[in-house]
Short mmCIF file of all heavy atoms in Angstrom, two decimals:
data_model
loop_
_atom_site.label_atom_id
_atom_site.label_comp_id
_atom_site.label_asym_id
_atom_site.label_seq_id
_atom_site.Cartn_x
_atom_site.Cartn_y
_atom_site.Cartn_z
N ASN A 52 -88.09 -23.82 -78.84
CA ASN A 52 -86.69 -24.14 -79.04
C ASN A 52 -85.93 -22.89 -78.62
O ASN A 52 -85.86 -21.90 -79.37
CB ASN A 52 -86.42 -24.48 -80.51
CG ASN A 52 -84.96 -24.87 -80.75
OD1 ASN A 52 -84.06 -24.09 -80.47
ND2 ASN A 52 -84.75 -26.07 -81.26
N ASN A 53 -85.41 -22.91 -77.42
CA ASN A 53 -84.93 -21.68 -76.81
C ASN A 53 -83.71 -21.08 -77.52
O ASN A 53 -83.57 -19.86 -77.60
CB ASN A 53 -84.63 -21.92 -75.33
CG ASN A 53 -85.89 -22.25 -74.56
OD1 ASN A 53 -86.82 -21.45 -74.54
ND2 ASN A 53 -85.95 -23.43 -73.96
N LYS A 54 -82.84 -21.94 -78.08
CA LYS A 54 -81.68 -21.43 -78.80
C LYS A 54 -82.11 -20.76 -80.11
O LYS A 54 -81.45 -19.83 -80.59
CB LYS A 54 -80.70 -22.58 -79.10
CG LYS A 54 -79.99 -23.13 -77.86
CD LYS A 54 -78.98 -22.12 -77.35
CE LYS A 54 -78.22 -22.61 -76.10
NZ LYS A 54 -77.33 -23.73 -76.36
N GLU A 55 -83.22 -21.22 -80.68
CA GLU A 55 -83.73 -20.58 -81.90
C GLU A 55 -84.51 -19.31 -81.58
O GLU A 55 -84.44 -18.32 -82.31
CB GLU A 55 -84.65 -21.57 -82.64
CG GLU A 55 -85.28 -21.02 -83.92
CD GLU A 55 -86.13 -22.07 -84.63
OE1 GLU A 55 -85.87 -23.28 -84.45
OE2 GLU A 55 -87.05 -21.67 -85.36
N LEU A 57 -84.37 -17.31 -78.76
CA LEU A 57 -83.69 -16.25 -78.02
C LEU A 57 -82.35 -15.90 -78.66
O LEU A 57 -81.67 -16.76 -79.21
CB LEU A 57 -83.45 -16.68 -76.58
CG LEU A 57 -84.67 -17.06 -75.75
CD1 LEU A 57 -84.24 -17.65 -74.41
CD2 LEU A 57 -85.58 -15.85 -75.51
N THR A 58 -81.98 -14.62 -78.59
CA THR A 58 -80.62 -14.25 -78.96
C THR A 58 -79.66 -14.79 -77.91
O THR A 58 -80.07 -15.15 -76.79
CB THR A 58 -80.48 -12.73 -79.05
OG1 THR A 58 -80.65 -12.16 -77.74
CG2 THR A 58 -81.51 -12.12 -80.00
N GLU A 59 -78.38 -14.85 -78.24
CA GLU A 59 -77.38 -15.32 -77.26
C GLU A 59 -77.39 -14.43 -76.03
O GLU A 59 -77.27 -14.91 -74.90
CB GLU A 59 -75.99 -15.34 -77.92
CG GLU A 59 -74.93 -15.96 -77.03
CD GLU A 59 -73.62 -16.18 -77.77
OE1 GLU A 59 -73.61 -16.11 -79.01
OE2 GLU A 59 -72.59 -16.42 -77.08
N GLU A 60 -77.57 -13.12 -76.25
CA GLU A 60 -77.60 -12.18 -75.13
C GLU A 60 -78.78 -12.46 -74.23
O GLU A 60 -78.65 -12.48 -72.99
CB GLU A 60 -77.66 -10.74 -75.66
CG GLU A 60 -77.64 -9.70 -74.57
CD GLU A 60 -77.73 -8.28 -75.12
OE1 GLU A 60 -77.89 -8.12 -76.35
OE2 GLU A 60 -77.64 -7.34 -74.32
N GLN A 61 -79.96 -12.71 -74.83
CA GLN A 61 -81.15 -13.03 -74.04
C GLN A 61 -80.98 -14.35 -73.31
O GLN A 61 -81.39 -14.49 -72.15
CB GLN A 61 -82.38 -13.08 -74.95
CG GLN A 61 -82.82 -11.76 -75.51
CD GLN A 61 -83.91 -11.91 -76.57
OE1 GLN A 61 -83.91 -12.89 -77.33
NE2 GLN A 61 -84.84 -10.97 -76.62
N TYR A 62 -80.40 -15.32 -73.99
CA TYR A 62 -80.28 -16.67 -73.42
C TYR A 62 -79.42 -16.66 -72.16
O TYR A 62 -79.74 -17.35 -71.18
CB TYR A 62 -79.68 -17.60 -74.47
CG TYR A 62 -79.78 -19.08 -74.12
CD1 TYR A 62 -80.86 -19.84 -74.54
CD2 TYR A 62 -78.79 -19.70 -73.37
CE1 TYR A 62 -80.97 -21.19 -74.23
CE2 TYR A 62 -78.89 -21.05 -73.05
CZ TYR A 62 -79.97 -21.78 -73.48
OH TYR A 62 -80.08 -23.12 -73.16
N TYR A 63 -78.34 -15.88 -72.18
CA TYR A 63 -77.39 -15.92 -71.06
C TYR A 63 -77.60 -14.78 -70.06
O TYR A 63 -76.85 -14.68 -69.08
CB TYR A 63 -75.96 -15.92 -71.59
CG TYR A 63 -75.61 -17.23 -72.29
CD1 TYR A 63 -75.54 -17.31 -73.66
CD2 TYR A 63 -75.40 -18.38 -71.53
CE1 TYR A 63 -75.25 -18.50 -74.29
CE2 TYR A 63 -75.12 -19.58 -72.15
CZ TYR A 63 -75.04 -19.64 -73.55
OH TYR A 63 -74.77 -20.83 -74.17
N ALA A 64 -78.62 -13.98 -70.29
CA ALA A 64 -78.92 -12.90 -69.33
C ALA A 64 -79.63 -13.47 -68.12
O ALA A 64 -80.28 -14.52 -68.19
CB ALA A 64 -79.80 -11.84 -70.02
N PRO A 65 -79.56 -12.80 -66.97
CA PRO A 65 -80.32 -13.26 -65.81
C PRO A 65 -81.81 -13.08 -66.06
O PRO A 65 -82.25 -12.24 -66.84
CB PRO A 65 -79.83 -12.34 -64.67
CG PRO A 65 -79.26 -11.14 -65.36
CD PRO A 65 -78.73 -11.61 -66.67
N ASP A 75 -80.06 -20.05 -63.33
CA ASP A 75 -79.22 -18.87 -63.10
C ASP A 75 -79.36 -17.84 -64.23
O ASP A 75 -79.13 -16.66 -64.03
CB ASP A 75 -77.76 -19.28 -62.95
CG ASP A 75 -77.50 -20.06 -61.67
OD1 ASP A 75 -78.27 -19.87 -60.70
OD2 ASP A 75 -76.54 -20.85 -61.65
N THR A 76 -79.68 -18.30 -65.45
CA THR A 76 -79.89 -17.41 -66.58
C THR A 76 -81.30 -17.62 -67.11
O THR A 76 -81.97 -18.61 -66.78
CB THR A 76 -78.89 -17.67 -67.70
OG1 THR A 76 -79.14 -18.97 -68.25
CG2 THR A 76 -77.45 -17.61 -67.18
N TYR A 77 -81.74 -16.68 -67.98
CA TYR A 77 -83.07 -16.84 -68.56
C TYR A 77 -83.14 -18.10 -69.42
O TYR A 77 -84.14 -18.81 -69.42
CB TYR A 77 -83.44 -15.61 -69.40
CG TYR A 77 -84.87 -15.65 -69.89
CD1 TYR A 77 -85.94 -15.55 -69.01
CD2 TYR A 77 -85.15 -15.86 -71.26
CE1 TYR A 77 -87.25 -15.62 -69.45
CE2 TYR A 77 -86.45 -15.92 -71.69
CZ TYR A 77 -87.50 -15.80 -70.80
OH TYR A 77 -88.80 -15.89 -71.24
N GLY A 78 -82.04 -18.40 -70.12
CA GLY A 78 -81.99 -19.62 -70.94
C GLY A 78 -82.11 -20.87 -70.09
O GLY A 78 -82.87 -21.80 -70.44
N GLU A 79 -81.38 -20.93 -68.98
CA GLU A 79 -81.48 -22.08 -68.08
C GLU A 79 -82.90 -22.21 -67.53
O GLU A 79 -83.43 -23.32 -67.38
CB GLU A 79 -80.47 -21.94 -66.94
CG GLU A 79 -79.03 -22.17 -67.36
CD GLU A 79 -78.08 -22.05 -66.17
OE1 GLU A 79 -78.57 -21.96 -65.03
OE2 GLU A 79 -76.86 -22.03 -66.41
N HIS A 80 -83.50 -21.08 -67.19
CA HIS A 80 -84.87 -21.07 -66.69
C HIS A 80 -85.82 -21.69 -67.72
O HIS A 80 -86.64 -22.56 -67.40
CB HIS A 80 -85.27 -19.63 -66.37
CG HIS A 80 -86.74 -19.41 -66.25
ND1 HIS A 80 -87.47 -19.76 -65.12
CD2 HIS A 80 -87.65 -18.86 -67.12
CE1 HIS A 80 -88.75 -19.43 -65.30
NE2 HIS A 80 -88.88 -18.89 -66.50
N ARG A 81 -85.70 -21.24 -68.97
CA ARG A 81 -86.60 -21.72 -70.02
C ARG A 81 -86.36 -23.21 -70.31
O ARG A 81 -87.31 -23.97 -70.52
CB ARG A 81 -86.43 -20.90 -71.29
CG ARG A 81 -86.97 -19.49 -71.17
CD ARG A 81 -88.29 -19.32 -71.92
NE ARG A 81 -89.30 -20.27 -71.53
CZ ARG A 81 -90.33 -20.02 -70.71
NH1 ARG A 81 -90.44 -18.84 -70.16
NH2 ARG A 81 -91.22 -20.95 -70.45
N GLU A 82 -85.11 -23.64 -70.30
CA GLU A 82 -84.79 -25.05 -70.57
C GLU A 82 -85.33 -25.95 -69.46
O GLU A 82 -85.79 -27.07 -69.71
CB GLU A 82 -83.28 -25.26 -70.73
CG GLU A 82 -82.64 -24.48 -71.85
CD GLU A 82 -83.02 -24.95 -73.25
OE1 GLU A 82 -83.93 -25.80 -73.39
OE2 GLU A 82 -82.42 -24.43 -74.21
#
Side-chain angles (χ1 to χ4, degrees):
N52 182 301
N53 295 301
K54 290 289 180 68
E55 179 178 335
L57 302 171
T58 66
E59 186 171 346
E60 182 181 5
Q61 290 171 325
Y62 192 92
Y63 290 105
D75 292 334
T76 67
Y77 186 69
E79 287 181 9
H80 163 77
R81 290 255 53 102
E82 299 291 8

